[in-house]
Amino acid sequence: NAGVTQTPKFQVLKTGQSMTLQCAQDMNHNSMYWYRQDPGMGLRLIYYSASEGTTDKGEVPNGYNVSRLNKREFSLRLESAAPSQTSVYFCASSVRATYNEQFFGPGTRLTVL
Amino acid sequence: QKEVEQNSGPLSVPEGAIASLNCTYSDRVSQSFFWYRQYSGKSPELIMSIYSNGDKEDGRFTAQLNKASQYVSLLIRDSQPSDSATYLCAVNTGGTSYGKLTFGQGTILTVHP
């Protein structure tokens, strides 16, 4: 039981490049989330998926898109990376959106040059 | 006004002492409250959840919730150097209809031998 997994662990991009961050969970959770964490800003919600087939914007969605591929997988795409998107990205999941005990993956450290 | 506020610290306590971490929140309809521990370079790890007023104990950890005062705290008894980490308070600010966790900035705790 791996919990929440994320790939890649590290990535360096040039401005304007695109990439997809992958997330998968094996806990049969319904809800999944993408956060970014920046020094002094705390954890901020980018997008979430309350259940398979639904996605909604969080606090900082600009510049990102998501896909809930199936119940297990939730990907985050940067279409045209900008230096302001340099951050640590965490994926999380919870049994359901209400009450919301969220469990986090190990994170992806992204640098945009 | 920030939705979830924590004293950023650092909070320094000697080994064996009680560490007290505090958090206030602004949304009166918040229903669920969580404490996460985050070691440097790692992902947040859920250590406590609390939903009702009063105290909840789990090993050396006690979470305390006072909804009237909009205040939640975490006590760590018999603090150990391995408890040195950043502690994040998270509040479900979406009511019961869906879960949206808002995180505080975190309190850095240092336990010195």
Side-chain angles (χ1 to χ4, degrees):
Chain A
N1 191 340
V4 181
T5 57
Q6 293 182 238
T7 56
K9 287 186 170 53
F10 300 94
Q11 184 71 47
V12 178
L13 293 178
K14 294 181 180 178
T15 297
Q17 288 185 316
S18 62
M19 79 161 296
T20 300
L21 281 64
Q22 305 286 354
C23 174
Q25 52 88 13
D26 62 3
M27 296 179 283
N28 200 33
H29 285 175
N30 291 300
S31 303
M32 298 184 73
Y33 312 83
W34 276 105
Y35 291 90
R36 59 179 291 174
Q37 187 174 38
D38 304 289
M41 301 296 291
L43 276 162
R44 294 181 292 171
L45 182 65
I46 305 171
Y47 270 94
Y48 70 98
S49 171
S51 60
E52 186 179 357
T54 68
T55 60
D56 284 288
K57 296 178 180 179
E59 182 184 353
V60 288
N62 290 345
Y64 305 95
N65 284 301
V66 291
S67 295
R68 184 74 183 267
L69 304 171
N70 48 56
K71 190 173 184 178
R72 290 187 62 248
E73 299 173 289
F74 188 38
S75 63
L76 178 72
R77 183 160 178 83
L78 286 71
E79 291 291 352
S80 178
S84 61
Q85 294 178 303
T86 293
S87 187
V88 181
Y89 291 86
F90 291 105
C91 177
S93 70
S94 64
V95 172
R96 62 184 189 279
T98 53
Y99 290 99
N100 221 344
E101 287 188 343
Q102 293 185 16
F103 298 90
F104 284 78
T108 294
R109 190 172 295 273
L110 175 67
T111 301
V112 183
L113 302 175
Chain B
Q1 181 186 3
K2 293 181 183 176
E3 292 186 56
V4 180
E5 292 206 49
Q6 296 180 252
N7 187 330
S8 62
L11 174 65
S12 181
V13 301
E15 184 174 357
I18 296 174
S20 178
L21 306 163
N22 304 315
C23 173
T24 58
Y25 60 95
S26 59
D27 189 346
R28 287 191 170 273
V29 302
S30 299
Q31 296 290 324
S32 46
F33 308 85
F34 307 93
W35 283 99
Y36 286 81
R37 177 176 61 199
Q38 187 174 25
Y39 293 114
S40 180
K42 301 296 186 182
S43 59
E45 174 192 7
L46 180 66
I47 55 172
M48 288 291 284
S49 55
I50 186 165
Y51 306 105
S52 304
N53 279 329
D55 295 359
K56 179 182 177 182
E57 188 174 316
D58 183 1
R60 295 186 297 111
F61 299 101
T62 299
Q64 300 174 316
L65 175 61
N66 183 327
K67 290 187 179 180
S69 300
Q70 295 175 242
Y71 177 92
V72 59
S73 65
L74 179 71
L75 301 178
I76 306 174
R77 290 183 301 281
D78 188 24
S79 295
Q80 301 297 310
S82 59
D83 295 325
S84 298
T86 298
Y87 288 81
L88 304 171
C89 172
V91 177
N92 182 337
T93 55
T96 56
S97 61
Y98 93 93
K100 170 182 174 289
L101 281 189
T102 299
F103 286 82
Q105 299 278 356
T107 298
I108 299 170
L109 172 66
T110 301
V111 181
H112 54 87

